[in-house]
Amino acid sequence: MPAEVTTETAGPGRSGRGRWTGRTILGWSLVVAVGLALAGLAYWWAQRITVARLQDSGAQRLEVYAVSLENLLSKYDFLPSTLELSDDVVDLLQKPEDPALLAAVNHHLERLNKQAGSTSIYVSDLHGITLAASNWREPGSFVGDNVAFRPYVRDALRGKPAGFYGVGTSLREPGYFFAHGIYRNGRMLGVATVKVNIEKLEQTWIQGNDKVLLSDEHGVIFLTSVPAWKYTTLAPLSAAVQRELAATRQYFSHALLPLDIHSSPAHEEGVQFVTIRPSASGAGADRSRRMLSQRLSLAPRHWQFIYLSDLSPARSNAQTAFLLACLLEGFLIVLYLYVRQRRRSLRLKLKAREDLQHAYDNLELMVAERTYNLKQMTRNLSDEIAVRQRAEDKLRVTQNELVQAGKMAVLGQMSAGITHELNQPLTALRTMSDNAAVLLDRGRIDDAKANLGVISQIVAQMGTITGQLKAFSRKSAGHMAPVAVQPAIANALFLVQRRLEQEQVAYRLEARHPDAYALCEGNRLEQVLVNLFNNALDAMAGVPARQLTVGIDRQANRVLISVADTGPGIPDEVRAHLFEPFFTTKEQGAGLGLGLAISEGIVVDFGGILRADPAPGGGAVFTIELPISKQGAVHG
Ligand code: ADP
């Protein structure tokens, strides 16, 4: 079988499909060539067998036909010589003028002819003149005919018993002529001739497809199963033969044209392949056919018996064998391809299974590796989380400290005001206590009492101020709780009260929901508010109309606290950095830039939002949005 049809595995610049290589083409060409040669061998072998079989049956038939011909002829062979046993015949030859004898012989011949089944019997004298004949009564009677030119008569007159096939000159009926001299006391008196019709043999031959013919020593076909071939010749006649035949009128006036027959070199003694053309056969429908020719020589008469077998069964058998061989080879090729394909797919399946196993093993290895890595990462992550946690805790502490620092910064900023706030009552206290001492000296006890009452009031007032400061500076407890918004605003406002008065800033509270509570830390909310108030006051420092408006509103589950001023507002470039730590537009020492950053951090911690917008009448409005608390609680 040929080399593989290569199935490419994926590779650079190669397709994955099967490709015919030079080796493959050569291999398959070889297979086809060997297959065709074997089919040709089958063709030749089948033809040979069939031809051999045809040859056997042809030889048998030929033998049978020859024997039946011989039988027929030998039956009459002796008949002419028996006539010399008849005295009448002998007498007639000696006295041909005797009418009684003639009549007797005619009757005798007529009877004998009838009994023997021959065509005619006649007796001729030494000049070849027919004296008496079996057909003496019939119109075409031979009586009186001169037959000296007929070879068989000539031979018989020469003392040679003769046999001759020819066409009768009077009735033009063909037949076989047996002639024999009639002797008495060793002297020839005349010739007796018996004519036998052997054409009836043809009838037995005209059966089946096979052709039979009988030719004389010149190759003239005179008996045949094919009527068209009758009186044709196997080969063109030489001029001498033609002259001789014309002289003896053996075939009367038949043209004796050659049959268009072509023979291939002798296959075996007496056996040939021949092709007979239809033109010569005379039968238009008959096609040119190749036939097997078998010849049997009938020696004493120099005749040739030829039996022709039709070769078409041999051809069709050979074609069938060729086809069967091709089919068998095709089947074998398909079987081979099928087995090869199966083996290949089995191999591929095994390979795929191996690959799968390999991939599975790899996968297991990878999973183990990944699991190990993942564990490692988890461990690292846990470590990192712990580090972050610590950092966050630290940050929270720092943030708280920052918030506290911011608070302290505010207090620092307010320290002048607070000092002033406390100095005033302190001065009053000193004056009042001096006055009280003077009044006691003068014995004005009631006035002194009244004075001491005022002193007590002033001290209480100062206690409130320091209490507020203490509360503001206190560190946050870190607990979220409901905080009443309005008191927280009041507390923050208290811390900037002095600035409001000094800077002549009008204050207005627009509380749509004065009882609102927010969930946050009161202390840190106040810190945010103080920051916003201080920023508002800072912003309004240079403007003539100064108004601080604080609003309390509600939106769904949020409490909105707005702080609006009538300052110059916030330019866009400032707004972009508003909540960044250490961003300030104030002079050095006036602001740290931490107020809004800390405030936003606090509000976001509460779960709220701090935002800055332009105020409707100019200036800025800061809004603190906090989660609302339905449940009221005392501000702490
Ligand atoms: P500081 O007050 O120390 O500057 P803040 O964080 O409180 O720090 O404020 C940052 C900046 O925001 C201020 O420097 C100012 O420019 C601007 N700002 C804050 N509040 C207002 C306001 N009500 N009107 C105009 N500008 C403001």
Side-chain angles (χ1 to χ4, degrees):
M1 282 292 159
E4 299 281 303
V5 174
T6 50
T7 306
E8 303 295 339
T9 48
R14 288 178 152 196
S15 74
R17 299 193 44 188
R19 210 158 54 91
W20 288 88
T21 62
R23 256 183 79 203
T24 313
I25 292 170
L26 193 73
W28 279 111
S29 309
L30 218 69
V31 167
V32 170
V34 168
L36 282 175
L38 286 174
L41 206 67
Y43 183 97
W44 173 83
W45 176 75
Q47 193 176 45
R48 204 183 140 88
I49 284 189
T50 320
V51 167
R53 212 175 292 147
L54 286 174
Q55 198 176 329
D56 282 353
S57 83
Q60 272 177 20
R61 291 274 181 94
L62 210 51
E63 198 63 44
V64 169
Y65 293 155
V67 167
S68 60
L69 175 71
E70 275 309 320
N71 284 346
L72 180 69
L73 294 180
S74 60
K75 217 166 88 183
Y76 297 99
D77 217 11
F78 67 96
L79 197 55
S81 57
T82 57
L83 284 183
E84 67 182 10
L85 301 176
S86 163
D87 289 337
D88 286 347
V89 172
V90 174
D91 290 347
L92 180 67
L93 286 170
Q94 286 169 337
K95 295 179 214 157
E97 309 303 329
D98 187 339
L101 267 177
L102 181 63
V105 172
N106 274 339
H107 278 103
H108 174 66
L109 293 181
E110 190 178 15
R111 241 186 348 265
L112 191 63
N113 186 49
K114 208 169 178 188
Q115 283 166 357
S118 48
T119 309
S120 54
I121 305 176
Y122 50 96
V123 176
S124 321
D125 64 12
L126 291 174
H127 304 288
I129 306 295
T130 305
L131 300 179
S134 59
N135 58 0
W136 62 276
R137 288 179 208 270
E138 291 162 27
S141 165
F142 299 158
V143 178
D145 283 356
N146 185 348
V147 288
F149 63 94
R150 299 290 262 184
Y152 54 92
V153 178
R154 272 206 315 259
D155 284 352
L157 286 173
R158 282 193 210 111
K160 217 165 85 183
F164 176 84
Y165 183 86
V167 179
T169 44
S170 349
L171 298 175
R172 296 177 194 178
E173 277 176 0
Y176 191 80
F177 298 85
F178 298 90
H180 198 279
I182 299 172
Y183 297 85
R184 179 56 56 99
N185 302 325
R187 194 170 63 90
M188 183 183 281
L189 301 174
V191 173
T193 306
V194 175
K195 181 181 177 187
V196 178
N197 180 1
I198 56 170
E199 279 196 312
K200 57 190 171 196
L201 281 174
E202 284 178 341
Q203 296 310 315
T204 60
W205 301 344
I206 306 173
Q207 279 164 7
N209 261 344
D210 302 335
K211 322 275 187 232
V212 188
L213 59 92
L214 195 58
S215 67
D216 67 7
E217 68 266 40
H218 306 301
V220 178
I221 300 167
F222 59 89
L223 275 189
T224 171
S225 60
V226 183
W229 295 351
K230 198 152 182 171
Y231 303 126
T232 59
T233 60
L234 292 174
L237 297 176
S238 66
V241 172
Q242 279 181 12
R243 265 198 311 277
E244 187 196 327
L245 289 177
T248 60
R249 295 159 80 183
Q250 186 173 355
Y251 298 106
F252 197 63
S253 57
H254 289 291
L256 304 181
L257 293 170
L259 188 64
D260 193 359
I261 183 166
H262 294 271
S263 321
S264 58
H267 167 68
E268 195 179 293
E269 183 57 37
V271 182
Q272 278 180 310
F273 291 112
V274 298
T275 309
I276 301 174
R277 294 270 160 75
S279 59
S281 75
D286 213 5
R287 289 184 324 178
S288 167
R289 283 206 267 180
R290 231 169 102 78
M291 304 187 108
L292 179 73
S293 157
Q294 287 167 272
R295 192 178 310 147
L296 185 69
S297 295
L298 303 179
R301 297 185 175 82
H302 306 292
W303 288 354
Q304 283 198 333
F305 227 136
I306 295 179
Y307 185 87
L308 296 166
S309 314
D310 189 2
L311 278 174
S312 53
R315 203 166 33 246
S316 70
N317 280 359
Q319 280 168 352
T320 308
F322 182 84
L323 264 176
L324 280 176
C326 285
L327 278 176
L328 184 72
E329 280 157 16
F331 172 75
L332 286 176
I333 287 173
V334 168
L335 192 73
Y336 162 76
L337 287 175
Y338 171 75
V339 168
R340 199 182 67 170
Q341 189 59 36
R342 252 192 85 83
R343 275 177 48 196
R344 186 177 293 170
S345 68
L346 218 68
R347 248 196 336 263
L348 283 177
K349 229 184 249 176
L350 274 175
K351 169 116 180 44
R353 199 174 293 165
E354 260 172 38
D355 287 353
L356 204 68
Q357 186 61 44
H358 192 65
Y360 182 75
D361 294 346
N362 271 354
L363 200 69
E364 272 196 342
L365 213 71
M366 271 164 68
V367 167
E369 247 173 48
R370 286 277 156 91
T371 312
Y372 175 78
N373 286 347
L374 221 60
K375 270 188 190 158
Q376 201 71 21
M377 271 166 69
T378 313
R379 208 170 301 139
N380 290 348
L381 217 60
S382 304
D383 291 351
E384 209 167 296
I385 285 172
V387 170
R388 290 262 163 102
Q389 197 85 49
R390 279 200 296 278
E392 221 171 79
D393 290 348
K394 216 174 194 172
L395 194 69
R396 192 165 297 123
V397 171
T398 315
Q399 250 178 357
N400 283 342
E401 278 170 4
L402 192 67
V403 169
Q404 194 59 23
K407 217 186 276 181
M408 291 307 152
V410 170
L411 282 178
Q413 280 171 355
M414 293 192 315
S415 61
I418 293 164
T419 313
H420 176 76
E421 203 70 32
L422 290 175
N423 269 347
Q424 241 185 341
L426 274 176
T427 314
L429 271 181
R430 187 177 300 143
T431 314
M432 295 291 270
S433 57
D434 286 350
N435 283 352
V438 173
L439 288 171
L440 281 175
D441 285 347
R442 287 180 190 165
R444 288 164 61 182
I445 301 295
D446 288 340
D447 288 341
K449 265 188 185 169
N451 217 342
L452 283 173
V454 173
I455 286 172
S456 172
Q457 268 178 13
I458 291 170
V459 169
Q461 236 174 18
M462 286 177 72
T464 312
I465 293 171
T466 52
Q468 288 275 11
L469 286 172
K470 200 176 155 197
F472 183 73
S473 63
R474 203 171 54 216
K475 263 197 173 175
S476 157
H479 299 305
M480 301 267 277
V483 173
V485 173
Q486 201 175 347
I489 292 171
N491 287 341
L493 200 65
F494 177 81
L495 293 173
V496 294
Q497 190 64 43
R498 168 100 188 124
R499 275 194 77 184
L500 284 177
E501 286 164 12
Q502 273 187 345
E503 292 167 25
Q504 295 170 338
V505 176
Y507 170 75
R508 200 165 73 219
L509 179 70
E510 288 181 353
R512 287 216 199 134
H513 294 276
D515 303 326
Y517 279 82
L519 194 63
C520 61
E521 279 175 66
N523 178 262
R524 292 222 269 171
L525 176 61
E526 284 166 25
Q527 186 182 348
V528 173
L529 286 169
V530 169
N531 260 327
L532 295 182
F533 291 163
N534 274 331
N535 278 345
L537 294 176
D538 287 347
M540 289 188 290
V543 295
R546 292 183 282 272
Q547 160 99 36
L548 179 68
T549 310
V550 177
I552 305 172
D553 210 340
R554 252 184 78 173
Q555 227 174 51
N557 53 354
R558 311 287 264 185
V559 179
L560 309 181
I561 306 165
S562 58
V563 178
D565 61 59
T566 52
I570 308 166
D572 285 344
E573 63 275 14
V574 174
R575 186 194 299 271
H577 307 285
L578 213 53
F579 297 106
E580 285 174 13
F582 304 109
F583 174 79
T584 180
T585 58
K586 292 171 192 169
E587 289 169 14
Q588 198 157 12
L592 284 173
L594 283 172
L596 285 178
I598 292 172
S599 298
E600 195 198 22
I602 291 170
V603 174
V604 169
D605 256 9
F606 294 161
I609 298 169
L610 174 63
R611 62 169 188 269
D613 300 292
V621 54
F622 282 80
T623 308
I624 306 166
E625 213 183 286
L626 292 172
I628 200 165
S629 168
K630 294 266 157 67
Q631 170 201 5
V634 182
H635 167 67

